[in-house]
Amino acid sequence: MSGKETDVRTATVVGAYPPWLPKLDNDGWALRSESCQTPNYGVRRVALVRGEGTRVWDADGKEYLDFLAGISVNNLGHCHPRITEVIRRQASALVHCTNLYTIPMQIELGRLLLDHGFADRVFFGNSGAEANEAAIKIARRWNRENRGPDRHEIICFEGSFHGRTMATLTATGQPKVKTNFEPLLEGFVHVPYNDLEAARASVGERTGAILVEPVLGEGGVRPATREFLAGLRELCDERDLLLIFDEIQCGLGRIGHLFAYQHYGVEPDIMTLGKSLGGGLPMGAMLCRERVAMAFSPGSHGSTMGGNPLASAAGHAYVSELIQGNWPARARETGEYLVARFKEAVGTSANIKEIRCVGLMIGIELYARAPEVLVACEEAGLLINVTDGQTLRLLPPLNVSREGVDLAVQILGEAIHAHPAEEAT
């Protein structure tokens, strides 16, 4: 967001409430939600109704600095002018057809992704979970056609998160998301993250692929080491396995490169994208090498709405702006600045266990009271979230200003100082 950042704790906005919505406050929207929606999201205190740049406004007219970006979806902020204009133009021409027909904007987005990465082919779905489903399916099919029917197991990692479909939930390395969904699918093995020897020891006669996040997102913003990912590549080459990178959260500029694998200098055979890919609209993609892609024959996989004209147009605008604006490099610089300013602000706080940062993917692990710090930040006008129990996760837009970073750091530092770990014992 350009210009001088104002203090979100005192700023007000006139006319921010969209006129087409019923005029309800936050509590009113919460009650309306409870009356009709399934309770899987729990109680939500804030109803967001408008966004611009790094700012959002709730139904009460309160302004927030958004350092979650829709969980790394709005990576160029809210209502980015270029993306918004493309959505308007495409919506007036063609919103949806089906993949029974050629979709020109889908092809343009696909070519843009392929021209700037390792892959030869792309499949579009509606979400990151669908992208991971496609990766799992093509890995199984490739192994069945090339290695035999028994080579279907996929090695995954503890702390990972790959989605909430039955296959991706099973692949996820967090028991809490699997409760009462048993029986889970067969064919997934979990080993400790960043432990190459454990991965090597888990390869057996039924192993067909390895699925890994270069940076654990829901698992607490924990980056892989270069040695770990390079070792997985060597292991896959030695044993003729497919290496799958889940870049749904850490890809597309978030950690300082267009794709996360470029940060590590390790190329996978299959890569999945989602979240920010559609410029805010639902979209996911599975990209792979030619030899893998040929495992999908006509009718073997598909999606009614995947990569429809509207989502593809928005995605093309987003990825083009990422590349042309050199936003991944800016993300690296801003991430370094944010961590330096944060360390100045918190000093020697006894509640901070570890700070983990790759580009603008930041995890601040506390010893205690992370949920209370989250609420304090929200009350002061800063949106972040807590993942992996005690880790504050910051995923600001890649084009956030330094004034915005300074303000966020001030609010966060005050919230942490107001909630020392000693009081939790």
Side-chain angles (χ1 to χ4, degrees), residues 145 154 157 166 169 197 263 329 407 420:
E145 292 178 354
I154 298 177
F157 295 92
M166 285 305 296
L169 179 150
E197 292 310 309
H263 172 78
L407 181 54

Side-chain angles (χ1 to χ4, degrees), residues 9-93:
R9 292 167 291 187
T10 59
T12 58
V13 172
V14 178
Y17 200 100
W20 54 86
L21 284 176
K23 188 65 176 176
L24 300 174
D25 60 13
N26 285 334
D27 291 338
W29 281 113
L31 289 172
R32 199 173 180 90
S33 169
E34 290 173 12
S35 71
C36 66
Q37 292 185 308
T38 58
N40 47 293
Y41 293 115
V43 176
R44 291 171 285 184
R45 297 178 297 274
V46 176
L48 298 179
V49 298
R50 179 175 174 265
E52 181 181 354
T54 58
R55 304 304 178 108
V56 288
W57 290 265
D58 69 16
D60 293 340
K62 181 176 178 179
E63 180 179 343
Y64 302 84
L65 184 59
D66 186 1
F67 264 49
L68 188 57
I71 311 183
S72 199
V73 169
N74 302 304
N75 276 2
L76 290 178
H78 296 272
C79 300
H80 187 280
R82 178 174 181 175
I83 299 172
T84 300
E85 180 56 30
V86 165
I87 291 174
R88 286 174 176 161
R89 286 205 316 265
Q90 185 63 48
S92 68

Side-chain angles (χ1 to χ4, degrees), residues 220-237:
V221 189
R222 301 178 189 277
T225 65
R226 291 180 188 272
E227 294 76 16
F228 176 60
L229 293 186
L232 292 181
R233 178 71 272 173
E234 287 184 16
L235 176 59
C236 288
D237 291 340

Side-chain angles (χ1 to χ4, degrees), residues 318-364:
Y318 166 65
V319 177
S320 296
E321 177 62 25
L322 268 187
I323 295 167
Q324 294 165 11
N326 200 24
W327 291 113
R330 288 277 298 276
R332 288 199 302 272
E333 298 169 3
T334 306
E336 293 170 0
Y337 176 79
L338 188 154
V339 170
R341 291 287 292 112
F342 177 74
K343 289 179 178 178
E344 292 175 8
V346 297
T348 57
S349 172
N351 197 7
I352 296 177
K353 183 176 182 180
E354 186 178 17
I355 302 170
R356 299 183 287 271
C357 173
V358 193
L360 272 175
M361 195 170 182
I362 299 110
I364 302 168

Side-chain angles (χ1 to χ4, degrees), residues 171-242:
T172 292
Q174 298 187 44
K176 65 182 180 182
V177 306
K178 307 181 185 188
T179 302
N180 292 334
F181 290 113
E182 299 84 357
L184 302 176
L185 299 185
E186 190 271 338
F188 296 88
V189 176
H190 292 87
V191 299
Y193 190 68
N194 268 331
D195 189 334
L196 181 59
E197 292 310 309
R200 183 177 294 277
S202 295
V203 175
E205 293 183 357
R206 305 194 334 168
T207 306
I210 296 176
L211 171 60
V212 63
E213 290 176 271
V215 183
L216 296 182
E218 304 303 317
V221 189
R222 301 178 189 277
T225 65
R226 291 180 188 272
E227 294 76 16
F228 176 60
L229 293 186
L232 292 181
R233 178 71 272 173
E234 287 184 16
L235 176 59
C236 288
D237 291 340
E238 290 171 7
R239 302 297 294 270
D240 197 19
L241 311 176
L242 296 178

